[in-house]
Amino acid sequence: MQSDPVQACPVAPVVDIVFSRWTTPILWTLNYQGRQRFVELQRRIATITPKVLTQRLRQLERDGLVVRTYHPEVPPRVEYEISDLGRSVAPLFAQLADWAATHLDDVEQARDAYDETPR
């Protein structure tokens, strides 16, 4: 018997929205560094390509987590900032950062023990 994945794990849609590979560093940066221009974000998240950053920013804007502000100047200027909805995820990030600080060494030890065990 199959069940609806959302019913099986009601946080799955949240994980898909907030914890995709590039969403987390983008939201983290905007939350802790404030409003950023595209090139500033790209510089802070050095391993992201411009194409992927553009795609993720558009999706985050669509999801209501990021606000894009266009300034009709010469040359035009675009800035991104975290929305109130996006900011509401900050406590979750803080909890995850605390968990990481407390438990990542344990995870590494478990991995090492697993890798050393013959299978």
Side-chain angles (χ1 to χ4, degrees):
M1 181 165 114
Q2 292 183 338
S3 76
D4 178 8
V6 174
Q7 289 178 339
C9 181
V11 299
V14 176
V15 171
D16 288 344
I17 293 167
V18 177
F19 295 107
S20 72
R21 177 164 185 202
W22 295 110
T23 297
T24 306
I26 292 168
L27 290 177
W28 182 278
T29 300
L30 292 174
N31 188 59
Y32 291 101
Q33 302 294 325
R35 182 180 307 154
Q36 303 279 306
R37 295 179 72 174
F38 184 90
V39 293
E40 292 170 321
L41 266 173
Q42 188 179 10
R43 219 175 285 129
R44 291 185 192 278
I45 309 169
T47 55
I48 194 168
T49 66
K51 177 184 176 185
V52 172
L53 180 57
T54 298
Q55 291 170 340
R56 294 310 311 150
L57 285 168
R58 285 183 183 153
Q59 185 62 51
L60 289 167
E61 184 181 9
R62 181 175 181 256
D63 291 341
L65 301 173
V66 166
V67 175
R68 178 184 183 270
T69 304
Y70 174 79
H71 301 277
E73 305 168 345
V74 178
R77 181 170 50 102
V78 177
E79 295 177 318
Y80 297 90
E81 61 186 309
I82 195 165
S83 69
D84 289 339
L85 181 60
R87 204 170 284 107
S88 71
V89 179
L92 180 58
F93 284 168
Q95 284 186 310
L96 288 171
D98 289 344
W99 187 92
T102 304
H103 296 290
L104 279 184
D105 286 341
D106 300 331
V107 171
E108 285 300 320
Q109 289 174 5
R111 288 176 177 170
D112 290 344
Y114 181 91
D115 292 345
E116 291 172 4
T117 304
R119 307 246 177 264

